Amino acid sequence: MRIIAGMTWKELLRKKVMLLTLLLTVVFLLAFWFVAQTIGKNDVFDGNGMISFSTMIARFTNGAFILMLGFFFGSFVIAFLAIFSSFSAVSGEAEQGIMQAMLPRPLPRWKWYFGRWLGYVSLGVIYAGVLFASILLITRYHAAIPQNPAALLRAFLLFVSTVPLLVSLAMLGSGIFSALGNGVLMTMLYGAGWLGGMLDKLSGSLRLEPDGLVMLHNLTGLISMAMPADSLQRRMTTELLSIKELSGIVDITSGSFSMLSGGTGPSDTFIIYAIGYTLVALLIGLYRFQRRDL
Amino acid sequence: MREAAIETQLLSKEYGNGRGCRDVTITVGKGEAFGFLGPNGAGKSTFVKMLVGLIAPSSGQASIFGHRIGSMEANACIGYLPELYRCQEWLTGLEVLQLHARLCRMDKTAAQRRIPELLEEVGLGQRGKDRVKHYSKGMQQRLGLACALINKPQVVFLDEPSSALDPVGRAEVRSILERLKAKGVTIFLNSHLLGDVEALCDRMALLNDGVILRHGTAAELLSKRSTWLFKVGGCSPFLLSWLNEQTGFQLHETVNQEAASPEDESVVWLEAELDNEEQAGWLNFLIIEQGMILYEATRKKERLEGWFMDAVSGLSHRGEKE
């Protein structure tokens, strides 16, 4: 399994997937730096240079906005990295004939599958960790960020949890559909999840009839069940920002925050559902791969 | 009776479209070279893929040195070169071999010694450090052969090993296979190059629509069609008719492609299909007795290609005479 995971790392590095991702990340972080700087200039100092209470609130408000802006982009990047690195894991190699030379070795199929999964997930999680830390550090430099380690850890785990979820689903799809078909399907599914999240966020400000609102909530709930990635990201921002320091000070569900923030975010039950969803996708993918004719 | 390297019993694979293999039963002895022949779509690759564990059989049983096909024990003693071999083109040839060596759990020192030898043997000695994406199809095929042999397998399955190779490459592959055979490695060869199969394989089987039509040694298969040629002087249509009446052999005039045309117009080549040498001897006697001159009597060497063409001609894809 270690050999296959290592091979996957080498593949992503040699194919310059990571290089291009890192280069574009640097570009993003530079842009993010200037955006954060611009927003951070809204700080107001009193005459003797001391930070007043209102300044502190302003810094946290700015920080919250910058963070949400950063993670809004960051969640897209890690989602697409997870999808596009793994969407052809099975079908692509089978179609090209690469797998036919590898699997007649004394290598159980489950080891190959888990090895690939581990390779994609580990690299994705490391990248997500770097992105997460970069966004926090830049925000901290220009504004203020919540500093509760438990909240940060929970937010980090939720942020990276989309990587195993999307990799498991993309690998399952690649065992059923062609590489191209699976790539399109995964992108559309993720897009649908994102759209469902947006509708959920905006539903409060649409002034719908109660019946229409219920139907909309049901619809977005179903979409979230089919693709929980966006809901996990919304829960992440909720976790990150709903800590003591900001509680009751910054209203993240209103104004310009509403488009970027997670609003109330999904429940703990939904988190358990998402974990189960990931495991089931992984195990069904493995089950199908074990029985697949190559 | 030598130990069985490959044994299959009623091995079948059914697909939705009806293709695949049906009730294939063969035994390949240890150290034997076995040729698997058949037209395109006959089910040869499906059969080999079942033996190496890539396709699960629908029914039947098979083993390699007593180990169930597809098991780790069976896979540990085989090498497999798929048709149109492809590998991770972002690796170098050296790295591909290192990867396969690690998958075979080879000792690192042994692998370091074996890999350069193999690269040299398949003619890639100078290109091992190049990325595979810079290799031609023929070079990739050679690399595939090296991968198949990395673990010094007891059985090698080769699916059209020369398909992407130039004539020099084909000769080299044939030479490698001959060396493997001399070392006692069991070879299972799927090939359309009937000359290679005839030269290398001890036994062969003809598959059509997933069913084995015939199998045996080359001599057994070819002896079913024993054609004799007689170079005769002073032959006339009357004498030819008389010989046919006496023997019932359907002797007829022919052109011998492998010999120059006789200068004397009265000298002709006669051809007949005979069961054995006694019949040839009797015919010789009758020709001489009738005052004709017998210059030469020879058994026409049947090429496997001719036999193959005869065997598959007129067959539908269901393996039946149309």
Side-chain angles (χ1 to χ4, degrees):
Chain A
M1 201 152 68
R2 202 163 40 87
I3 301 167
I4 301 299
M7 185 193 78
T8 307
W9 271 59
K10 197 174 265 186
E11 178 183 9
L12 293 176
L13 296 173
R14 287 271 174 91
K15 282 184 172 174
K16 298 189 173 64
V17 174
M18 286 314 294
L19 182 70
L20 288 171
T21 308
L22 288 173
L23 279 175
L24 289 174
T25 305
V26 169
V27 173
F28 158 71
L29 289 175
L30 282 172
F32 183 62
W33 174 279
F34 290 112
V35 170
Q37 192 177 40
T38 308
I39 297 169
K41 277 180 183 168
N42 288 335
D43 289 357
V44 181
F45 287 86
D46 60 13
N48 57 18
M50 296 290 286
I51 298 174
S52 66
F53 182 68
S54 60
T55 304
M56 199 170 70
I57 292 173
R59 280 180 69 82
F60 273 117
T61 307
N62 290 340
F65 186 76
I66 295 166
L67 276 181
M68 283 187 288
L69 195 68
F71 286 122
F72 181 73
F73 175 81
S75 62
F76 269 110
V77 177
I78 62 162
F80 285 122
L81 179 67
I83 290 170
F84 290 115
S85 61
S86 58
F87 77 99
S88 65
V90 177
S91 51
E93 290 206 357
E95 284 163 15
Q96 288 169 32
I98 293 172
M99 209 177 268
Q100 284 82 343
M102 299 270 291
L103 291 178
R105 294 298 181 198
L107 169 76
R109 286 195 180 191
W110 68 267
K111 281 194 176 179
W112 185 94
Y113 197 85
F114 274 132
R116 292 296 264 175
W117 185 87
L118 201 62
Y120 294 128
V121 169
S122 56
L123 210 60
V125 165
I126 289 171
Y127 171 77
V130 171
L131 192 62
F132 185 85
S134 304
I135 290 170
L136 282 183
L137 288 173
I138 290 172
T139 309
R140 190 174 188 274
Y141 188 81
H142 293 293
I145 59 166
Q147 299 197 4
N148 182 334
L152 287 174
L153 181 65
R154 279 199 302 274
F156 172 73
L157 291 176
L158 283 163
F159 185 63
V160 300
S161 65
T162 52
V163 177
L165 186 144
L166 290 171
V167 169
S168 301
L169 195 63
M171 284 183 71
L172 167 64
S174 78
I176 302 170
F177 307 107
S178 69
L180 184 63
N182 189 41
V184 172
L185 180 78
M186 283 301 299
T187 309
M188 291 189 76
L189 195 58
Y190 180 76
W194 180 81
L195 185 68
M198 289 301 282
L199 284 173
D200 199 33
K201 287 173 202 170
L202 293 172
S203 59
S205 57
L206 289 177
R207 294 181 185 175
L208 295 171
E209 294 292 319
D211 285 353
L213 202 60
V214 169
M215 184 185 270
L216 193 65
H217 277 146
N218 286 342
L219 183 68
T220 55
L222 283 173
I223 293 172
S224 295
M225 299 280 274
M227 173 44 75
D230 189 70
S231 298
L232 289 174
Q233 294 302 325
R234 283 192 289 139
R235 175 65 187 258
M236 187 275 290
T237 50
T238 308
E239 284 291 328
L240 194 63
L241 302 174
S242 297
I243 50 176
K244 280 181 188 171
E245 289 92 321
L246 287 175
S247 178
I249 300 171
V250 180
D251 182 8
I252 58 167
T253 61
S254 66
S256 55
F257 286 103
S258 63
M259 288 291 285
L260 303 172
S261 77
T264 53
S267 64
D268 287 346
T269 311
F270 188 85
I271 305 298
I272 295 166
Y273 167 77
I275 294 169
Y277 182 100
T278 305
L279 286 173
V280 168
L282 176 64
L283 293 175
I284 293 176
L286 178 64
Y287 177 82
R288 288 187 60 90
F289 184 63
Q290 290 272 61
R291 279 152 187 78
R292 184 186 166 111
D293 285 338
L294 294 166
Chain B
M1 179 89 181
R2 54 178 148 183
E3 184 188 353
I6 305 165
E7 261 186 314
T8 71
Q9 278 193 326
L10 302 173
L11 198 65
S12 300
K13 179 68 187 179
E14 288 168 23
Y15 290 116
N17 61 5
R19 293 287 175 84
C21 289
R22 281 182 289 156
D23 300 334
V24 178
T25 300
I26 57 160
T27 302
V28 180
K30 184 182 177 185
E32 194 177 2
F34 191 87
F36 215 47
L37 307 169
N40 290 333
K44 304 189 299 293
S45 291
T46 299
F47 185 70
V48 173
K49 283 181 174 181
M50 282 196 282
L51 294 181
V52 301
L54 288 172
I55 292 178
S58 304
S59 61
Q61 291 178 331
S63 62
I64 293 168
F65 282 111
H67 304 298
R68 184 178 52 82
I69 52 166
S71 66
M72 293 303 102
E73 293 82 4
N75 285 5
C77 57
I78 66 167
Y80 170 55
L81 173 63
E83 188 179 8
L84 299 175
Y85 172 82
R86 290 288 173 273
C87 63
Q88 295 81 356
E89 60 177 25
W90 36 270
L91 292 176
T92 66
L94 202 67
E95 287 170 335
V96 171
L97 285 170
Q98 283 167 347
L99 176 66
H100 279 260
R102 290 180 71 195
L103 291 175
C104 294
R105 295 166 197 161
M106 276 179 77
D107 175 58
K108 199 172 180 180
T109 320
Q112 277 174 346
R113 210 172 33 243
R114 177 116 177 102
I115 289 169
E117 283 173 12
L118 264 177
L119 282 171
E120 203 63 50
E121 191 169 357
V122 298
L124 292 174
Q126 305 299 314
R127 301 294 300 271
K129 289 179 181 171
D130 290 354
R131 293 259 179 105
V132 176
K133 67 178 174 186
H134 300 304
Y135 283 15
S136 66
K137 281 182 187 169
M139 288 166 72
Q140 288 194 36
Q141 197 73 0
R142 287 161 187 256
L143 182 64
L145 184 59
C147 285
L149 304 178
I150 184 80
N151 56 335
K152 295 190 175 173
Q154 292 172 272
V155 185
V156 283
F157 293 93
L158 306 163
D159 198 350
E160 302 291 349
S162 307
S163 57
L165 299 177
D166 57 24
V168 177
R170 285 178 183 181
E172 285 172 1
V173 167
R174 190 193 288 196
S175 157
I176 291 169
L177 296 183
E178 279 166 0
R179 283 201 296 276
L180 285 173
K181 190 182 173 188
K183 286 178 189 170
V185 174
T186 308
I187 298 170
F188 192 99
L189 179 64
N190 252 6
S191 181
H192 286 125
L193 296 173
L194 301 173
D196 286 2
V197 174
E198 190 176 1
L200 182 80
C201 295
D202 305 304
R203 288 192 306 131
M204 56 202 73
L206 173 67
L207 195 78
N208 190 63
D209 194 43
V211 178
I212 288 192
L213 297 181
R214 296 172 200 175
H215 63 96
T217 63
E220 283 168 356
L221 294 172
L222 298 178
S223 66
K224 289 177 181 167
R225 188 169 177 265
S226 185
T227 305
W228 286 76
L229 289 168
F230 303 90
K231 189 178 179 183
V232 179
C235 185
S236 65
F238 172 76
L239 284 171
L240 188 59
S241 165
W242 183 87
L243 282 171
N244 279 332
E245 265 179 39
Q246 290 295 308
T247 61
F249 287 160
Q250 295 188 331
L251 200 66
H252 58 274
E253 229 176 279
T254 189
V255 176
N256 187 356
Q257 305 281 8
E258 293 173 9
S261 300
E263 288 176 10
D264 186 346
E265 284 184 6
S266 69
V267 178
V268 293
W269 284 96
L270 300 179
E271 185 181 272
E273 287 193 9
L274 305 176
D275 289 339
N276 49 46
E277 287 186 348
E278 282 77 36
Q279 289 184 341
W282 182 38
L283 202 53
N284 288 349
F285 170 76
L286 291 175
I287 288 169
I288 293 165
E289 192 190 53
Q290 292 303 311
M292 291 179 275
I293 304 164
L294 181 64
Y295 294 102
E296 193 178 333
T298 179
R299 194 199 312 249
K300 190 175 172 182
K301 192 182 176 192
E302 291 296 338
R303 305 302 298 181
L304 193 58
E305 194 168 338
W307 169 81
F308 178 83
M309 295 301 287
D310 282 356
V312 299
S313 65
L315 285 176
S316 71
H317 273 298
R318 302 236 62 84
E320 294 152 353
K321 284 279 182 190
E322 282 173 338

